[in-house]
Amino acid sequence: MKIPKRLEPLVEAGLVDAVMRQLMSGKEAMIFVVRCGGDMRCAKVYKEANLRSFRQSVDYTEGRKVKNSRRARAMEKGSRYGRKAKEEAWQSTEVDALYRLAAAGVRVPRPYDFVDGVLLMELVTDGEGHPAPRLNDVVLTPEQAREFHGALVREVVRMLCAGVVHGDLSEYNVLLGGEGPVIIDLPQAVDAAGNAHASAMLERDVGNLTRYFGRFAPELLRTEYAKEIWSLYKSGRLTPEIELSGRYERVEKAVDVDGVMRLVDDALEEEAARQLYTREMAQK
């Protein structure tokens, strides 16, 4: 096929030998199958911001640090340079997350290079060597649903142990590779410790998976993995090898009314003392 313009720099640099075909076009990028030497890989070409259906949100970008102060100011003002810088930061988030998660043993495509808004990465294949299907394109048995749900919950735990929440995880962002599910599409990934919305995003991610797999194995709909996982994370007890129960016990403590009233009385007494002191000082 004709080499897409955005892929020409990679061909000229010798990173890509041939563009075989377009694999898919998603809400944020187009994916091409490319040949690199003797290996088949993926080239993810990010769409321009005005062509994407997924919009950047402050909920996702909260907690992301920009080291260059000029760049940070430009991004806040929304200047032409700032918009370009914000777009580059959005794209590099996925690259950084892939390297970070791959190093932590999370099942994500292996990244190879990132050049001019194009991410060169592993082509995930099925058991016969063909490009792996997305999870939503596969009909599952109840046994497979339980198996893949358990596998992905473990990957979510491993991601969180590495400090990352996917932020948009669903059956559309999982490939069913020959060795099991592989998580993809991470430009909206958030830092678990630095983003105040991380807990809600984790709950939504796990909820999306549970609802999907629950179509094939309804008993999964009664599980509460997200709350259990976040509780363990916040208490410092979450590890990649932890055994989860899928249950979450809410601890509801009775309100100490007497204790609250004592605090109120103490505050009133302190305020009365301050007012008395102020009046006495004014009379001198």
Side-chain angles (χ1 to χ4, degrees), residues 149-164:
H149 177 265
L152 284 167
V153 167
R154 288 192 293 274
E155 294 305 308
V156 168
V157 168
R158 198 175 294 275
M159 288 176 68
L160 188 55
C161 287
V164 177

Side-chain angles (χ1 to χ4, degrees), residues 199-215:
S199 173
M201 291 182 185
L202 179 87
E203 187 155 354
R204 186 177 62 195
D205 285 353
V206 177
N208 287 340
L209 295 176
T210 301
R211 281 188 294 274
Y212 176 73
F213 289 114
R215 300 177 194 171

Side-chain angles (χ1 to χ4, degrees), residues 48-265:
E48 301 296 333
N50 62 330
L51 299 177
R52 290 199 311 257
S53 60
F54 191 98
R55 294 290 181 260
Q56 299 184 33
S57 164
V58 292
D59 289 355
Y60 291 98
T61 55
E62 178 184 291
R64 294 182 184 175
K65 296 179 175 60
V66 180
K67 294 181 181 179
N68 186 303
S69 58
R70 174 175 173 266
R71 188 181 178 95
R73 288 194 300 272
M75 290 168 68
E76 289 178 3
K77 292 179 180 178
S79 65
R80 184 176 180 181
Y81 169 72
R83 291 193 299 272
K84 182 175 183 293
K86 185 177 291 187
E87 186 68 14
E88 291 173 352
W90 181 255
Q91 295 171 5
S92 66
T93 295
E94 175 161 40
V95 182
D96 295 342
L98 284 174
Y99 277 107
R100 185 175 179 179
L101 295 175
V106 178
R107 289 184 56 77
V108 294
R110 179 183 176 185
Y112 292 107
D113 219 325
F114 181 59
V115 180
D116 295 334
V118 179
L119 173 60
L120 194 61
M121 59 183 174
E122 173 191 2
L123 173 65
V124 180
T125 58
D126 61 17
E128 298 179 355
H130 304 301
R134 288 193 301 186
L135 186 59
N136 70 297
D137 293 325
V138 180
V139 177
L140 304 173
T141 65
E143 293 75 16
Q144 289 174 319
R146 287 189 286 270
E147 177 188 349
F148 295 151
H149 177 265
L152 284 167
V153 167
R154 288 192 293 274
E155 294 305 308
V156 168
V157 168
R158 198 175 294 275
M159 288 176 68
L160 188 55
C161 287
V164 177
V165 173
H166 188 287
D168 191 35
L169 188 58
S170 72
E171 65 271 24
Y172 299 99
N173 292 327
V174 176
L175 298 178
L176 195 52
E179 297 181 1
V182 178
I183 295 173
I184 61 171
D185 295 342
L186 290 139
Q188 70 295 313
V190 301
D191 180 82
N195 190 299
H197 306 281
S199 173
M201 291 182 185
L202 179 87
E203 187 155 354
R204 186 177 62 195
D205 285 353
V206 177
N208 287 340
L209 295 176
T210 301
R211 281 188 294 274
Y212 176 73
F213 289 114
R215 300 177 194 171
F216 308 99
E219 69 274 12
L220 294 175
L221 298 173
R222 297 191 294 271
T223 60
E224 293 186 286
Y225 283 105
K227 287 184 171 61
E228 180 186 11
I229 291 169
W230 190 257
S231 176
L232 291 167
Y233 170 72
K234 291 297 289 182
S235 64
R237 293 178 292 144
L238 189 68
T239 66
E241 298 78 22
I242 196 166
E243 290 290 334
L244 300 173
S245 66
R247 297 186 297 274
Y248 175 72
E249 295 184 7
R250 295 165 179 78
V251 179
E252 298 181 0
K253 295 182 179 179
V255 177
D256 182 1
V257 177
D258 291 338
V260 172
M261 293 307 299
R262 282 196 296 272
L263 291 174
V264 172
D265 290 341

